[in-house]
């Protein structure tokens, strides 16, 4: 019996070479795209003026000028910005000291520097008829936040620890509670104090007056930072430059902030004046303040253990080269 071997179909050699070339090119393009995606830095930020230096840097192209491909992940507030880092959705983020310390009890984050600080950004305001701190019996607070901490320091400063009752609420609820007389005062961040004062409330104290310097931190994912220290240094230098430009012309900064966030420059400009826009390292007085915050959070059972804040800080990472 004759067995006929069938001829297998083979592409002509020139065509085979072309297909191999196309395949290699496709793999190279795919690899380049993956590298480019990996080089994109996502920074998670809230949308109020406390986050403004990041928006100014983006609006004015400062990140791009430094060779950084930065994408902003916009969230409602600093807590969500930190949660985005923990979830791997961002490499860096911005949030207040209180917010970051609270999460350090449950997650590993690496605070790199202080973006800005203020003695006046948070205010205690009281309803009509309350003229002195000693008259406050019911204080509105947002539990587990800097609002609650400042209220506790307010009570300590004016000897009200045993007399003051805390009413838990959200920031947007404060004004209505105050006008109805459900609370005598509240301690909060903008814009709620200003909103209340437009309707007859009066200011009683600021965070600085009760002994608290509020600080806003630039925080990184430790995993990302381990292989991107040079990039992190460059990014901090950009934010430092954004701060310098803001301090040099606050009205122009408010106008650029409006382009990024749609928040009216006329509303944000007064708040810019409450912030000291200077990127800096953590100081010894800062460490003492952070320790007090950690102790407070543990005492209020907001965290399962007192956080050893210096253990997490990248102290000395940022060096101010402008001075």
């Amino acid at each position: 019996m004759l067995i006929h071997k069938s001829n297998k179909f083979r592409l002509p050699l020139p065509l085979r070479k072309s297909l191999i070339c196309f395949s290699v090119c496709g793999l190279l393009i795919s690899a380049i795209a993956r590298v480019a995606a990996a080089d994109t830095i996502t920074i998670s930020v809230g949308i109020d003026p406390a986050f403004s230096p990041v928006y100014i840097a983006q609006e004015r192209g400062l990140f791009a000028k430094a060779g950084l491909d930065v994408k902003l992940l916009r969230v409602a507030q600093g807590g969500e910005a930190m949660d985005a880092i923990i979830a791997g959705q961002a490499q860096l983020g911005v949030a207040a000291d209180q917010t970051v310390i609270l999460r350090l009890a449950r997650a590993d984050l690496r605070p790199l520097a202080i973006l800005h600080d203020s003695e006046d950004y948070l205010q205690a305001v009281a309803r009509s008829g309350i003229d002195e701190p000693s008259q406050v019996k019911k204080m509105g607070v947002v539990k587990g936040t800097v609002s609650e901490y400042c209220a506790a320091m307010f009570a300590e400063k004016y000897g009200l620890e045993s007399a003051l009752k805390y009413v838990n609420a959200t920031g947007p609820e404060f004004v209505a509670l105050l006008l109805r007389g459900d609370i005598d005062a509240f301690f909060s961040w903008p814009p709620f104090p200003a909103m209340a004062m437009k309707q007859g409330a009066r200011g009683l104290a600021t965070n600085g007056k009760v002994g608290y310097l509020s600080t806003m931190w630039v925080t990184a994912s430790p995993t990302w930072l381990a292989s991107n220290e040079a990039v992190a240094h460059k990014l901090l230098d950009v934010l430092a430059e954004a701060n310098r430009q803001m301090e040099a012309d606050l009205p122009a900064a408010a106008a650029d902030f409006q382009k990024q966030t749609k928040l009216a420059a006329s509303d944000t400009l007064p708040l810019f004046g409450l912030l000291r826009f200077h990127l800096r390292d953590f100081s010894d007085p800062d460490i003492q303040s952070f320790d007090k915050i950690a102790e407070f959070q543990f005492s209020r059972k907001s965290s399962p253990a007192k956080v050893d804040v210096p253990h997490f800080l990248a102290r000395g990472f940022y060096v101010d080269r402008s001075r």
Side-chain angles (χ1 to χ4, degrees):
M1 183 189 329
L2 293 174
I3 299 175
H4 299 280
K5 293 182 179 179
S6 60
N7 293 325
K8 292 183 179 179
F9 175 73
R10 295 183 61 135
L11 291 172
L13 183 60
L15 183 55
R16 291 205 307 274
K17 288 182 177 179
S18 296
L19 287 174
I20 291 171
C21 181
F22 285 138
S23 297
V24 171
C25 289
L27 290 172
L28 286 172
I29 292 170
S30 177
I32 291 170
R34 285 196 298 272
V35 170
D39 287 343
T40 299
I41 305 163
T42 300
I43 305 176
S44 49
V45 285
I47 54 173
D48 68 67
F51 303 90
S52 54
V54 182
Y55 287 103
I56 296 303
Q58 187 78 324
E59 175 64 24
R60 296 182 179 179
L62 301 182
F63 292 124
K65 288 177 184 176
L68 299 172
D69 179 15
V70 169
K71 179 179 76 173
L72 302 187
L73 174 61
R74 305 181 186 211
V75 296
Q77 41 84 20
E80 293 179 16
M82 294 301 99
D83 293 341
I85 298 176
I86 295 168
Q89 298 170 339
Q91 288 79 50
L92 299 105
V94 175
D97 45 21
Q98 303 260 343
T99 302
V100 184
I101 292 171
L102 189 62
R103 279 156 179 78
L104 292 179
R106 301 175 176 85
D108 190 17
L109 295 166
R110 196 68 68 243
L112 302 179
I114 291 174
L115 181 62
H116 57 68
D117 60 36
S118 176
E119 294 181 334
D120 306 303
Y121 199 66
L122 298 115
Q123 280 187 286
V125 296
R127 62 177 174 81
S128 178
I130 301 292
D131 300 314
E132 301 292 337
S134 60
Q135 295 176 284
V136 178
K137 305 301 179 186
K138 294 181 290 184
M139 172 78 80
V141 301
V142 181
K143 187 173 178 59
T145 71
V146 66
S147 166
E148 184 182 25
Y149 182 65
C150 284
M153 296 194 74
F154 177 91
E156 180 182 336
K157 179 175 178 63
Y158 297 109
L160 303 174
E161 292 99 329
S162 60
L164 193 60
K165 178 183 177 182
Y166 298 108
V167 178
N168 296 326
T170 63
E173 295 174 320
F174 282 151
V175 178
L177 291 171
L178 197 71
L179 295 177
R180 289 202 308 262
D182 293 339
I183 56 176
D184 298 321
F186 66 84
F187 220 127
S188 177
W189 51 84
F192 309 113
M195 291 169 60
M197 286 191 278
K198 285 180 180 178
Q199 301 193 54
R202 65 183 301 272
L204 284 182
T206 63
N207 56 285
K209 193 170 181 179
V210 299
Y212 166 57
L213 177 69
S214 66
T215 60
M216 206 73 172
W217 296 1
V218 181
T219 298
S221 157
T223 304
W224 175 84
L225 183 64
S227 55
N228 289 277
E229 286 195 5
V231 176
H233 279 296
K234 189 180 293 188
L235 188 140
L236 291 179
D237 286 341
V238 168
L239 293 178
E241 175 59 22
N243 273 344
R244 286 190 288 272
Q245 291 188 14
M246 290 185 71
E247 284 284 10
D249 193 341
L250 289 179
D256 282 344
F257 185 60
Q258 179 175 332
K259 294 175 187 175
Q260 283 280 317
T261 64
K262 309 305 180 187
L263 296 176
S266 58
D267 293 332
T268 57
L269 181 56
L271 300 177
F272 282 0
L274 303 177
L275 301 171
R276 289 189 293 228
F277 291 108
H278 175 64
L279 194 96
R280 63 179 180 83
D281 193 15
F282 306 100
S283 69
D284 289 340
D286 291 330
I287 302 300
Q288 295 171 7
S289 175
F290 303 156
D291 184 70
K292 190 172 182 180
I293 293 169
E295 181 64 43
F296 174 80
Q297 291 179 345
F298 177 54
S299 70
R300 294 300 176 96
K301 296 182 171 57
S302 297
S303 60
K306 181 183 174 182
V307 174
D308 179 11
V309 181
H311 170 75
F312 294 92
L313 300 180
R315 195 174 182 188
F317 185 83
Y318 175 71
V319 177
D320 187 353
R321 299 175 181 84
S322 67
R323 295 188 174 187

